PDB file of all heavy atoms in Angstrom:
ATOM      1  N   MET A 674     -27.927  13.898 -84.466  1.00 81.00           N
ATOM      2  CA  MET A 674     -26.661  14.002 -85.166  1.00 81.00           C
ATOM      3  C   MET A 674     -25.685  13.003 -84.553  1.00 81.00           C
ATOM      4  O   MET A 674     -25.585  12.885 -83.349  1.00 81.00           O
ATOM      5  CB  MET A 674     -26.116  15.415 -85.037  1.00 81.00           C
ATOM      6  CG  MET A 674     -24.763  15.572 -85.661  1.00 81.00           C
ATOM      7  SD  MET A 674     -24.064  17.229 -85.528  1.00 81.00           S
ATOM      8  CE  MET A 674     -23.751  17.345 -83.789  1.00 81.00           C
ATOM      9  N   SER A 675     -24.989  12.316 -85.387  1.00 91.00           N
ATOM     10  CA  SER A 675     -23.999  11.350 -84.947  1.00 91.00           C
ATOM     11  C   SER A 675     -22.711  11.612 -85.709  1.00 91.00           C
ATOM     12  O   SER A 675     -22.736  11.943 -86.891  1.00 91.00           O
ATOM     13  CB  SER A 675     -24.521   9.939 -85.236  1.00 91.00           C
ATOM     14  OG  SER A 675     -23.574   8.988 -84.873  1.00 91.00           O
ATOM     15  N   MET A 676     -21.581  11.494 -85.002  1.00 93.00           N
ATOM     16  CA  MET A 676     -20.298  11.671 -85.686  1.00 93.00           C
ATOM     17  C   MET A 676     -19.256  10.786 -85.032  1.00 93.00           C
ATOM     18  O   MET A 676     -19.390  10.403 -83.871  1.00 93.00           O
ATOM     19  CB  MET A 676     -19.859  13.137 -85.689  1.00 93.00           C
ATOM     20  CG  MET A 676     -19.531  13.729 -84.348  1.00 93.00           C
ATOM     21  SD  MET A 676     -18.915  15.433 -84.443  1.00 93.00           S
ATOM     22  CE  MET A 676     -20.395  16.317 -84.854  1.00 93.00           C
ATOM     23  N   THR A 677     -18.239  10.464 -85.779  1.00 93.00           N
ATOM     24  CA  THR A 677     -17.139   9.664 -85.265  1.00 93.00           C
ATOM     25  C   THR A 677     -16.198  10.574 -84.475  1.00 93.00           C
ATOM     26  O   THR A 677     -16.274  11.807 -84.566  1.00 93.00           O
ATOM     27  CB  THR A 677     -16.356   9.009 -86.411  1.00 93.00           C
ATOM     28  OG1 THR A 677     -15.729  10.046 -87.190  1.00 93.00           O
ATOM     29  CG2 THR A 677     -17.256   8.144 -87.292  1.00 93.00           C
ATOM     30  N   PHE A 678     -15.296   9.958 -83.725  1.00 93.00           N
ATOM     31  CA  PHE A 678     -14.260  10.738 -83.057  1.00 93.00           C
ATOM     32  C   PHE A 678     -13.472  11.540 -84.094  1.00 93.00           C
ATOM     33  O   PHE A 678     -13.131  12.701 -83.868  1.00 93.00           O
ATOM     34  CB  PHE A 678     -13.276   9.831 -82.304  1.00 93.00           C
ATOM     35  CG  PHE A 678     -13.780   9.319 -80.992  1.00 93.00           C
ATOM     36  CD1 PHE A 678     -13.951   7.964 -80.794  1.00 93.00           C
ATOM     37  CD2 PHE A 678     -14.051  10.170 -79.932  1.00 93.00           C
ATOM     38  CE1 PHE A 678     -14.391   7.469 -79.575  1.00 93.00           C
ATOM     39  CE2 PHE A 678     -14.494   9.691 -78.713  1.00 93.00           C
ATOM     40  CZ  PHE A 678     -14.667   8.338 -78.532  1.00 93.00           C
ATOM     41  N   GLN A 679     -13.177  10.909 -85.229  1.00 94.00           N
ATOM     42  CA  GLN A 679     -12.400  11.574 -86.282  1.00 94.00           C
ATOM     43  C   GLN A 679     -13.130  12.815 -86.788  1.00 94.00           C
ATOM     44  O   GLN A 679     -12.527  13.882 -86.942  1.00 94.00           O
ATOM     45  CB  GLN A 679     -12.121  10.609 -87.441  1.00 94.00           C
ATOM     46  CG  GLN A 679     -11.291  11.207 -88.556  1.00 94.00           C
ATOM     47  CD  GLN A 679      -9.899  11.616 -88.106  1.00 94.00           C
ATOM     48  OE1 GLN A 679      -9.278  10.928 -87.308  1.00 94.00           O
ATOM     49  NE2 GLN A 679      -9.419  12.735 -88.616  1.00 94.00           N
ATOM     50  N   GLU A 680     -14.421  12.673 -87.052  1.00 96.00           N
ATOM     51  CA  GLU A 680     -15.200  13.820 -87.529  1.00 96.00           C
ATOM     52  C   GLU A 680     -15.240  14.930 -86.479  1.00 96.00           C
ATOM     53  O   GLU A 680     -15.103  16.111 -86.814  1.00 96.00           O
ATOM     54  CB  GLU A 680     -16.613  13.378 -87.892  1.00 96.00           C
ATOM     55  CG  GLU A 680     -16.672  12.494 -89.125  1.00 96.00           C
ATOM     56  CD  GLU A 680     -17.998  11.779 -89.303  1.00 96.00           C
ATOM     57  OE1 GLU A 680     -18.751  11.600 -88.305  1.00 96.00           O
ATOM     58  OE2 GLU A 680     -18.291  11.393 -90.449  1.00 96.00           O
ATOM     59  N   ALA A 681     -15.410  14.556 -85.228  1.00 96.00           N
ATOM     60  CA  ALA A 681     -15.435  15.545 -84.158  1.00 96.00           C
ATOM     61  C   ALA A 681     -14.075  16.230 -84.026  1.00 96.00           C
ATOM     62  O   ALA A 681     -14.000  17.458 -83.871  1.00 96.00           O
ATOM     63  CB  ALA A 681     -15.845  14.889 -82.842  1.00 96.00           C
ATOM     64  N   SER A 682     -13.002  15.455 -84.104  1.00 96.00           N
ATOM     65  CA  SER A 682     -11.649  16.028 -84.026  1.00 96.00           C
ATOM     66  C   SER A 682     -11.402  17.005 -85.168  1.00 96.00           C
ATOM     67  O   SER A 682     -10.809  18.066 -84.971  1.00 96.00           O
ATOM     68  CB  SER A 682     -10.596  14.914 -84.052  1.00 96.00           C
ATOM     69  OG  SER A 682     -10.627  14.179 -82.866  1.00 96.00           O
ATOM     70  N   GLU A 683     -11.862  16.657 -86.362  1.00 97.00           N
ATOM     71  CA  GLU A 683     -11.710  17.546 -87.512  1.00 97.00           C
ATOM     72  C   GLU A 683     -12.518  18.831 -87.315  1.00 97.00           C
ATOM     73  O   GLU A 683     -12.051  19.921 -87.667  1.00 97.00           O
ATOM     74  CB  GLU A 683     -12.135  16.828 -88.790  1.00 97.00           C
ATOM     75  CG  GLU A 683     -11.147  15.742 -89.203  1.00 97.00           C
ATOM     76  CD  GLU A 683     -11.657  14.842 -90.320  1.00 97.00           C
ATOM     77  OE1 GLU A 683     -12.788  15.058 -90.826  1.00 97.00           O
ATOM     78  OE2 GLU A 683     -10.921  13.898 -90.695  1.00 97.00           O
ATOM     79  N   ARG A 684     -13.706  18.707 -86.745  1.00 97.00           N
ATOM     80  CA  ARG A 684     -14.532  19.899 -86.485  1.00 97.00           C
ATOM     81  C   ARG A 684     -13.843  20.811 -85.471  1.00 97.00           C
ATOM     82  O   ARG A 684     -13.807  22.033 -85.640  1.00 97.00           O
ATOM     83  CB  ARG A 684     -15.909  19.473 -85.988  1.00 97.00           C
ATOM     84  CG  ARG A 684     -16.852  20.625 -85.779  1.00 97.00           C
ATOM     85  CD  ARG A 684     -18.247  20.156 -85.488  1.00 97.00           C
ATOM     86  NE  ARG A 684     -19.136  21.266 -85.222  1.00 97.00           N
ATOM     87  CZ  ARG A 684     -20.399  21.130 -84.870  1.00 97.00           C
ATOM     88  NH1 ARG A 684     -20.938  19.931 -84.761  1.00 97.00           N
ATOM     89  NH2 ARG A 684     -21.145  22.186 -84.626  1.00 97.00           N
ATOM     90  N   VAL A 685     -13.283  20.227 -84.406  1.00 98.00           N
ATOM     91  CA  VAL A 685     -12.540  21.008 -83.414  1.00 98.00           C
ATOM     92  C   VAL A 685     -11.353  21.683 -84.084  1.00 98.00           C
ATOM     93  O   VAL A 685     -11.098  22.873 -83.868  1.00 98.00           O
ATOM     94  CB  VAL A 685     -12.089  20.112 -82.235  1.00 98.00           C
ATOM     95  CG1 VAL A 685     -11.055  20.821 -81.363  1.00 98.00           C
ATOM     96  CG2 VAL A 685     -13.287  19.679 -81.407  1.00 98.00           C
ATOM     97  N   ASP A 686     -10.619  20.959 -84.932  1.00 98.00           N
ATOM     98  CA  ASP A 686      -9.453  21.520 -85.597  1.00 98.00           C
ATOM     99  C   ASP A 686      -9.832  22.669 -86.524  1.00 98.00           C
ATOM    100  O   ASP A 686      -9.123  23.681 -86.575  1.00 98.00           O
ATOM    101  CB  ASP A 686      -8.700  20.427 -86.365  1.00 98.00           C
ATOM    102  CG  ASP A 686      -7.314  20.889 -86.760  1.00 98.00           C
ATOM    103  OD1 ASP A 686      -6.526  21.248 -85.859  1.00 98.00           O
ATOM    104  OD2 ASP A 686      -7.024  20.913 -87.975  1.00 98.00           O
ATOM    105  N   ARG A 687     -10.941  22.526 -87.240  1.00 98.00           N
ATOM    106  CA  ARG A 687     -11.405  23.626 -88.103  1.00 98.00           C
ATOM    107  C   ARG A 687     -11.690  24.871 -87.267  1.00 98.00           C
ATOM    108  O   ARG A 687     -11.356  25.983 -87.663  1.00 98.00           O
ATOM    109  CB  ARG A 687     -12.654  23.228 -88.884  1.00 98.00           C
ATOM    110  CG  ARG A 687     -12.395  22.387 -90.110  1.00 98.00           C
ATOM    111  CD  ARG A 687     -13.607  22.267 -91.026  1.00 98.00           C
ATOM    112  NE  ARG A 687     -14.796  21.784 -90.349  1.00 98.00           N
ATOM    113  CZ  ARG A 687     -15.105  20.492 -90.156  1.00 98.00           C
ATOM    114  NH1 ARG A 687     -14.280  19.545 -90.589  1.00 98.00           N
ATOM    115  NH2 ARG A 687     -16.218  20.137 -89.545  1.00 98.00           N
ATOM    116  N   TYR A 688     -12.298  24.663 -86.107  1.00 98.00           N
ATOM    117  CA  TYR A 688     -12.621  25.798 -85.234  1.00 98.00           C
ATOM    118  C   TYR A 688     -11.338  26.462 -84.726  1.00 98.00           C
ATOM    119  O   TYR A 688     -11.162  27.669 -84.858  1.00 98.00           O
ATOM    120  CB  TYR A 688     -13.494  25.337 -84.054  1.00 98.00           C
ATOM    121  CG  TYR A 688     -13.720  26.441 -83.060  1.00 98.00           C
ATOM    122  CD1 TYR A 688     -14.617  27.472 -83.340  1.00 98.00           C
ATOM    123  CD2 TYR A 688     -13.013  26.482 -81.866  1.00 98.00           C
ATOM    124  CE1 TYR A 688     -14.801  28.512 -82.446  1.00 98.00           C
ATOM    125  CE2 TYR A 688     -13.193  27.514 -80.966  1.00 98.00           C
ATOM    126  CZ  TYR A 688     -14.083  28.528 -81.257  1.00 98.00           C
ATOM    127  OH  TYR A 688     -14.251  29.555 -80.377  1.00 98.00           O
ATOM    128  N   TYR A 696      -3.860  26.116 -80.877  1.00 97.00           N
ATOM    129  CA  TYR A 696      -4.047  25.311 -79.673  1.00 97.00           C
ATOM    130  C   TYR A 696      -3.226  25.879 -78.524  1.00 97.00           C
ATOM    131  O   TYR A 696      -2.131  26.399 -78.732  1.00 97.00           O
ATOM    132  CB  TYR A 696      -3.641  23.854 -79.925  1.00 97.00           C
ATOM    133  CG  TYR A 696      -4.582  23.120 -80.831  1.00 97.00           C
ATOM    134  CD1 TYR A 696      -4.248  22.875 -82.155  1.00 97.00           C
ATOM    135  CD2 TYR A 696      -5.810  22.665 -80.367  1.00 97.00           C
ATOM    136  CE1 TYR A 696      -5.123  22.205 -83.003  1.00 97.00           C
ATOM    137  CE2 TYR A 696      -6.691  21.992 -81.199  1.00 97.00           C
ATOM    138  CZ  TYR A 696      -6.340  21.770 -82.514  1.00 97.00           C
ATOM    139  OH  TYR A 696      -7.210  21.115 -83.342  1.00 97.00           O
ATOM    140  N   LEU A 742     -14.618  16.610 -73.254  1.00 97.00           N
ATOM    141  CA  LEU A 742     -14.321  15.972 -74.530  1.00 97.00           C
ATOM    142  C   LEU A 742     -13.657  16.961 -75.489  1.00 97.00           C
ATOM    143  O   LEU A 742     -12.701  16.617 -76.191  1.00 97.00           O
ATOM    144  CB  LEU A 742     -15.599  15.389 -75.136  1.00 97.00           C
ATOM    145  CG  LEU A 742     -15.457  14.593 -76.417  1.00 97.00           C
ATOM    146  CD1 LEU A 742     -14.494  13.413 -76.230  1.00 97.00           C
ATOM    147  CD2 LEU A 742     -16.819  14.097 -76.872  1.00 97.00           C
ATOM    148  N   PHE A 743     -14.128  18.203 -75.502  1.00 97.00           N
ATOM    149  CA  PHE A 743     -13.535  19.235 -76.363  1.00 97.00           C
ATOM    150  C   PHE A 743     -12.062  19.437 -76.023  1.00 97.00           C
ATOM    151  O   PHE A 743     -11.199  19.463 -76.905  1.00 97.00           O
ATOM    152  CB  PHE A 743     -14.306  20.555 -76.226  1.00 97.00           C
ATOM    153  CG  PHE A 743     -13.706  21.688 -77.004  1.00 97.00           C
ATOM    154  CD1 PHE A 743     -13.939  21.818 -78.365  1.00 97.00           C
ATOM    155  CD2 PHE A 743     -12.905  22.631 -76.381  1.00 97.00           C
ATOM    156  CE1 PHE A 743     -13.376  22.862 -79.093  1.00 97.00           C
ATOM    157  CE2 PHE A 743     -12.328  23.672 -77.092  1.00 97.00           C
ATOM    158  CZ  PHE A 743     -12.569  23.790 -78.449  1.00 97.00           C
ATOM    159  N   MET A 746     -10.031  16.513 -77.120  1.00 97.00           N
ATOM    160  CA  MET A 746      -9.815  16.537 -78.573  1.00 97.00           C
ATOM    161  C   MET A 746      -8.759  17.563 -78.943  1.00 97.00           C
ATOM    162  O   MET A 746      -7.928  17.310 -79.821  1.00 97.00           O
ATOM    163  CB  MET A 746     -11.122  16.804 -79.300  1.00 97.00           C
ATOM    164  CG  MET A 746     -12.028  15.611 -79.259  1.00 97.00           C
ATOM    165  SD  MET A 746     -13.484  15.828 -80.268  1.00 97.00           S
ATOM    166  CE  MET A 746     -14.158  14.179 -80.128  1.00 97.00           C
ATOM    167  N   ASN A 750      -5.428  16.525 -80.861  1.00 98.00           N
ATOM    168  CA  ASN A 750      -5.097  17.189 -82.123  1.00 98.00           C
ATOM    169  C   ASN A 750      -3.725  17.860 -82.062  1.00 98.00           C
ATOM    170  O   ASN A 750      -2.919  17.732 -82.993  1.00 98.00           O
ATOM    171  CB  ASN A 750      -6.153  18.238 -82.483  1.00 98.00           C
ATOM    172  CG  ASN A 750      -7.451  17.635 -82.979  1.00 98.00           C
ATOM    173  OD1 ASN A 750      -7.545  16.442 -83.223  1.00 98.00           O
ATOM    174  ND2 ASN A 750      -8.466  18.468 -83.103  1.00 98.00           N
ATOM    175  N   LEU A 754      -2.530  12.953 -82.272  1.00 97.00           N
ATOM    176  CA  LEU A 754      -3.031  11.644 -81.849  1.00 97.00           C
ATOM    177  C   LEU A 754      -4.460  11.424 -82.324  1.00 97.00           C
ATOM    178  O   LEU A 754      -5.188  12.378 -82.586  1.00 97.00           O
ATOM    179  CB  LEU A 754      -2.982  11.529 -80.316  1.00 97.00           C
ATOM    180  CG  LEU A 754      -1.611  11.756 -79.686  1.00 97.00           C
ATOM    181  CD1 LEU A 754      -1.722  11.799 -78.176  1.00 97.00           C
ATOM    182  CD2 LEU A 754      -0.634  10.693 -80.147  1.00 97.00           C
ATOM    183  N   SER A 755      -4.854  10.171 -82.394  1.00 96.00           N
ATOM    184  CA  SER A 755      -6.213   9.801 -82.799  1.00 96.00           C
ATOM    185  C   SER A 755      -6.978   9.277 -81.589  1.00 96.00           C
ATOM    186  O   SER A 755      -6.646   8.208 -81.062  1.00 96.00           O
ATOM    187  CB  SER A 755      -6.165   8.720 -83.879  1.00 96.00           C
ATOM    188  OG  SER A 755      -7.430   8.121 -84.041  1.00 96.00           O
ATOM    189  N   LEU A 756      -7.996  10.002 -81.155  1.00 94.00           N
ATOM    190  CA  LEU A 756      -8.834   9.506 -80.055  1.00 94.00           C
ATOM    191  C   LEU A 756      -9.595   8.261 -80.481  1.00 94.00           C
ATOM    192  O   LEU A 756      -9.857   7.383 -79.664  1.00 94.00           O
ATOM    193  CB  LEU A 756      -9.813  10.577 -79.581  1.00 94.00           C
ATOM    194  CG  LEU A 756      -9.231  11.676 -78.707  1.00 94.00           C
ATOM    195  CD1 LEU A 756     -10.319  12.680 -78.333  1.00 94.00           C
ATOM    196  CD2 LEU A 756      -8.589  11.106 -77.455  1.00 94.00           C
ATOM    197  N   GLU A 757      -9.941   8.187 -81.747  1.00 93.00           N
ATOM    198  CA  GLU A 757     -10.653   7.005 -82.245  1.00 93.00           C
ATOM    199  C   GLU A 757      -9.768   5.761 -82.091  1.00 93.00           C
ATOM    200  O   GLU A 757     -10.205   4.743 -81.553  1.00 93.00           O
ATOM    201  CB  GLU A 757     -11.046   7.219 -83.707  1.00 93.00           C
ATOM    202  CG  GLU A 757     -12.118   6.279 -84.176  1.00 93.00           C
ATOM    203  CD  GLU A 757     -12.859   6.819 -85.394  1.00 93.00           C
ATOM    204  OE1 GLU A 757     -12.829   8.036 -85.666  1.00 93.00           O
ATOM    205  OE2 GLU A 757     -13.466   5.996 -86.066  1.00 93.00           O
ATOM    206  N   ARG A 758      -8.536   5.865 -82.525  1.00 95.00           N
ATOM    207  CA  ARG A 758      -7.605   4.748 -82.399  1.00 95.00           C
ATOM    208  C   ARG A 758      -7.319   4.447 -80.923  1.00 95.00           C
ATOM    209  O   ARG A 758      -7.309   3.296 -80.498  1.00 95.00           O
ATOM    210  CB  ARG A 758      -6.307   5.056 -83.146  1.00 95.00           C
ATOM    211  CG  ARG A 758      -5.296   3.921 -83.138  1.00 95.00           C
ATOM    212  CD  ARG A 758      -4.028   4.257 -83.910  1.00 95.00           C
ATOM    213  NE  ARG A 758      -3.380   5.468 -83.402  1.00 95.00           N
ATOM    214  CZ  ARG A 758      -3.144   6.561 -84.140  1.00 95.00           C
ATOM    215  NH1 ARG A 758      -3.478   6.597 -85.410  1.00 95.00           N
ATOM    216  NH2 ARG A 758      -2.564   7.616 -83.608  1.00 95.00           N
TER     217      ARG A 758
END
Side-chain angles (χ1 to χ4, degrees):
M674 176 180 69
S675 178
M676 66 176 72
T677 65
F678 282 117
Q679 182 63 38
E680 291 166 338
S682 290
E683 289 170 2
R684 184 172 177 184
V685 167
D686 195 58
R687 280 193 306 274
Y688 174 76
Y696 290 104
L742 185 58
F743 176 81
M746 287 187 173
N750 286 351
L754 304 173
S755 165
L756 283 179
E757 198 158 340
R758 183 179 57 239

